[in-house]
C-alpha cells in the first residue's frame, strides 16, 4: 500500500510519474473508512437507513389468539360430521369485533359471531367461515366441519417474543419499518450518515441552471455528484463553487463541518490545479494519479483523518472516480456495503473490447442483440456517452481486453430491469 507520509510530488506542468493501482486505492479506503456513530431516528425517517444494532421483539405478534376469518368462533368438536345432508345446529350467543372482545365463553353447542382480527373467546378453538354456515333467529346451521385451530391466528405466529427480527447492517426497507412498528418500536438506532461537502473549482465555470456564455461552461459535475451522494446515503452540505484561488480553496478545505470532502476540478497538471498541494499541506495525500482510464488524475487523501477525494474536472472522469473511490468511502462510513451499487449482467462481446495492459479501463458499452459493443466516442469530457450507454465494463489492469464471443460483466447504469 502507498505510504501515507510519502513526500508530496507537485505534478503541475510536469505530468504524473508512477501511478497507483486501483486495488491499492480501494485497500486504502477499506483501511481508513469505518462506519460512524449511531443515532436514534423516528420510523418515519428511517427508510433506507442502516441499522446500527440488532432489534429484538419485546412482545409477540400477535400477542393474543385472534380470528383469521369473518365467521363464528366455535368448538371444533361441535362441527364434526356436519354436511348439507346432516347439518349441525348451534346457538349464537353474541359477537366479537376487533378491539372489542365479547367477554363470553363458548360452551358446548354455542357459537360466537366474530370478525377478522377479533380476540378469540374462551372455550372456542376454531373459526367457522361465514360461507359454510347460515344464521337465522339466533341459531346457526353448520354444513361443513372445521378442525381445531383452523382459521385462528395464534399468539406469536408472526413474531415470537424474544426473536431478533432485524440485524445490524441492514438497510431498512418499507416492510422492515412496518415490522418494527408491529412490535412497538417507534424509534430505531441507525448509523449516522456521513456529512459530505462538494467543492467545485474553476474560473471557467458557471453554476448549474445557467446558460453557457462566452468561453464559460456550466458546471455539471456537482449535479451528478449530489445525486450520487444521495444514492449512497450521504448527508449533503451546500455545494461551494470556488475560483482558482489558493486561499479560497484552502479555506474551504480547512472547514470542520464535513466528514467526506469531494473536490471537483483542479486535480491534474495544470498551473491552476492547486488542490493536490493544498491537501498535502493540510493533511496527507498518499495517492495522486491512478492506473485508470478515465480518471487517472484522481487524488485520495485525508485531513484530520477525514477522507478527501480530488476528482477530475472532466465529467466522465469525475463520475468514474466517484463510483470507484469516493462512493465506497461514503457507503462504508454509513454502514453500507462498498460494492458498486449497480445491477450486473453477463453478455458476450459482439466485437473486440480493447484495453491497455497496465491500467484498468472503464469502457462505456451498449448491449445489442449481437452482444456487448463499446461506445465509439470515449473522451473523458463527453458526458453524453454515459447517457446513451447501457452501462460499463471494468477491464482489469493485467488484461488487454475481451475478444468477440467472450463473456463480460456489464454494470448497468439503470437500477430497473433493462428494456430490450
Amino acid at each position: 500500500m502507498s505510504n501515507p507520509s510519502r513526500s508530496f510530488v507537485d505534478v503541475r506542468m510536469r505530468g504524473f510519474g508512477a501511478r497507483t493501482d486501483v486495488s491499492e486505492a480501494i485497500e486504502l479506503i477499506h483501511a481508513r473508512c469505518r462506519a460512524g456513530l449511531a443515532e436514534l431516528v423516528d420510523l418515519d425517517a428511517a427508510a433506507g437507513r442502516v441499522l446500527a444494532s440488532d432489534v429484538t421483539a419485546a412482545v409477540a405478534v400477535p400477542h393474543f389468539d385472534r380470528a383469521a376469518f369473518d365467521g363464528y368462533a366455535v368448538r371444533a368438536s361441535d362441527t364434526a360430521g356436519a354436511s348439507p345432508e346432516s347439518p349441525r345446529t348451534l346457538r349464537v350467543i353474541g359477537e366479537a369485533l376487533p378491539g372489542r372482545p365479547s367477554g363470553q365463553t363458548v360452551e358446548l353447542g354455542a357459537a360466537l359471531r366474530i370478525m377478522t382480527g377479533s380476540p378469540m373467546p374462551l372455550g372456542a378453538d376454531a373459526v367457522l367461515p361465514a360461507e359454510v354456515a347460515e344464521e337465522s333467529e339466533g341459531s346457526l346451521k353448520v354444513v361443513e366441519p372445521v378442525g381445531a385451530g383452523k382459521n385462528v391466528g395464534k399468539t406469536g405466529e408472526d413474531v415470537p417474543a424474544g426473536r431478533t427480527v432485524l440485524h445490524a447492517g441492514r438497510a431498512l426497507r418499507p416492510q422492515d419499518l412496518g415490522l418494527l412498528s408491529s412490535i412497538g418500536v417507534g424509534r430505531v438506532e441507525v448509523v449516522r450518515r456521513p456529512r459530505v461537502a462538494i467543492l467545485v473549482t474553476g474560473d471557467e465555470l458557471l453554476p448549474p441552471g445557467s446558460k453557457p456564455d462566452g468561453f464559460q461552461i456550466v458546471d455539471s459535475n456537482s449535479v451528478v455528484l449530489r445525486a450520487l451522494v444521495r444514492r449512497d446515503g450521504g448527508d449533503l452540505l451546500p455545494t461551494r463553487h470556488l475560483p482558482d484561488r489558493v486561499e479560497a480553496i484552502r479555506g474551504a478545505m480547512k472547514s470542520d463541518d464535513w466528514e467526506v470532502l469531494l473536490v471537483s476540478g483542479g486535480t491534474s497538471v495544470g498551473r491552476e490545479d492547486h488542490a493536490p498541494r493544498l491537501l498535502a499541506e493540510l493533511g496527507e495525500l498518499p495517492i495522486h494519479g491512478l492506473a485508470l482510464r478515465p480518471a487517472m488524475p484522481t487524488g485520495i487523501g485525508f485531513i484530520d483523518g477525514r477522507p478527501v477525494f480530488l476528482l477530475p474536472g472532466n465529467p466522465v472522469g469525475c463520475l468514474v472516480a466517484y463510483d470507484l473511490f469516493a462512493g465506497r468511502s461514503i457507503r462504508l462510513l454509513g454502514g453500507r456495503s462498498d460494492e458498486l451499487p449497480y445491477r450486473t449482467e453477463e453478455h458476450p462481446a459482439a466485437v473486440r473490447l480493447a484495453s491497455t495492459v497496465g491500467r484498468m479501463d472503464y469502457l462505456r458499452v451498449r448491449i445489442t442483440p449481437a452482444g456487448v459493443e463499446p461506445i465509439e466516442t470515449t473522451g473523458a469530457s463527453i458526458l453524453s456517452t454515459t447517457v446513451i450507454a447501457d452501462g460499463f465494463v471494468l477491464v482489469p489492469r493485467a488484461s488487454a481486453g475481451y475478444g468477440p464471443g467472450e463473456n463480460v460483466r456489464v454494470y448497468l447504469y439503470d437500477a430497473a430491469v433493462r428494456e430490450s
Side-chain angles (χ1 to χ4, degrees):
M1 185 186 294
S2 300
N3 180 2
S5 62
R6 73 181 185 185
S7 299
F8 171 66
V9 177
D10 193 342
V11 299
R12 290 179 300 173
M13 306 309 293
R14 292 186 177 91
F16 290 87
R19 298 176 188 180
T20 303
D21 188 70
V22 169
S23 63
E24 191 175 334
I26 293 173
E27 183 184 349
L28 175 66
I29 292 167
H30 282 168
R32 301 288 294 269
C33 297
R34 304 291 173 85
L37 302 175
E39 62 181 353
L40 280 173
V41 299
D42 293 338
L43 283 189
D44 235 13
R49 300 295 297 273
V50 176
L51 269 182
S53 56
D54 294 350
V55 179
T56 300
V59 297
V61 179
H63 63 279
F64 56 88
D65 289 355
R66 59 187 178 181
F69 266 78
D70 294 329
Y72 298 87
V74 298
R75 291 174 178 253
S77 59
D78 281 342
T79 69
S83 69
E85 296 76 24
S86 180
R88 297 287 183 268
T89 301
L90 304 175
R91 67 185 185 282
V92 179
I93 61 171
E95 183 174 75
L97 299 172
R100 288 187 283 165
S102 71
Q104 295 168 285
T105 298
V106 176
E107 307 285 359
L108 287 171
L112 182 78
R113 195 181 309 110
I114 194 166
M115 305 301 133
T116 302
S118 305
M120 286 293 290
L122 292 174
D125 61 0
V127 172
L128 183 73
E131 295 84 351
V132 295
E134 182 181 331
E135 182 182 348
S136 177
E137 297 181 351
S139 292
L140 185 69
K141 185 167 77 171
V142 181
V143 296
E144 185 177 300
V146 63
K150 191 71 173 175
N151 304 322
V152 176
K154 291 292 187 180
T155 299
E157 71 173 2
D158 189 355
V159 181
R163 171 188 285 175
T164 298
V165 295
L166 296 171
H167 291 278
R170 183 184 181 93
L172 292 169
R173 301 177 297 177
Q175 57 266 45
D176 298 334
L177 304 184
L179 182 62
L180 291 172
S181 183
S182 75
I183 61 173
V185 174
R187 307 191 78 201
V188 63
E189 190 176 44
V190 296
V191 179
R192 190 165 61 77
R193 296 180 298 180
R195 295 190 303 275
V196 181
I198 299 173
L199 305 182
V200 180
T201 68
D203 292 338
E204 77 281 15
L205 294 177
L206 296 170
S210 305
K211 290 185 178 179
D213 181 56
F215 297 105
Q216 291 187 296
I217 60 176
V218 180
D219 162 43
S220 62
N221 284 356
S222 68
V223 177
V224 174
L225 289 173
R226 290 183 72 84
L228 291 169
V229 170
R230 289 189 189 99
R231 178 199 70 185
D232 290 335
D235 184 10
L236 276 163
L237 299 172
T239 298
R240 297 187 64 180
H241 290 82
L242 301 174
D244 289 318
R245 303 292 182 270
V246 172
E247 289 310 313
I249 299 170
R250 177 188 283 115
M253 293 177 74
K254 286 175 64 176
S255 172
D256 60 2
D257 61 349
W258 54 266
E259 290 162 308
V260 179
L261 178 62
L262 311 180
V263 182
S264 169
T267 70
S268 191
V269 299
R271 187 171 61 83
E272 295 297 310
D273 289 349
H274 305 299
R277 179 171 61 84
L278 290 171
L279 178 52
E281 170 194 313
L282 297 170
E284 51 185 294
L285 181 61
I287 291 176
H288 188 207
L290 289 152
L292 173 66
R293 182 175 182 267
M296 184 275 294
T298 300
I300 303 173
F302 304 87
I303 296 176
D304 297 328
R306 301 170 295 164
V308 180
F309 295 89
L310 307 182
L311 309 176
N314 283 325
V316 181
C318 182
L319 169 64
V320 173
Y322 175 88
D323 259 348
L324 295 185
F325 310 113
R328 289 182 191 274
S329 77
I330 293 170
R331 292 191 294 275
L332 286 169
L333 290 168
R336 301 171 184 271
S337 166
D338 77 310
E339 293 298 318
L340 293 177
Y342 295 101
R343 190 169 58 86
T344 63
E345 290 181 354
E346 296 277 338
H347 293 276
V351 297
R352 177 163 181 76
L353 302 178
S355 181
T356 299
V357 174
R359 72 180 184 211
M360 174 179 282
D361 266 333
Y362 177 106
L363 305 180
R364 287 147 274 178
V365 299
R366 299 191 72 172
I367 301 172
T368 72
V372 178
E373 297 179 351
I375 300 295
E376 291 184 6
T377 304
T378 60
S381 63
I382 312 299
L383 186 58
S384 63
T385 59
T386 64
V387 175
I388 63 175
D390 291 313
F392 59 92
V393 172
L394 295 175
V395 184
R397 181 175 186 170
S399 173
Y402 301 99
E406 280 191 77
N407 267 355
V408 296
R409 173 182 290 183
V410 180
Y411 294 85
L412 299 174
Y413 286 130
D414 290 333
V417 175
R418 184 178 57 83
E419 295 182 0
S420 59

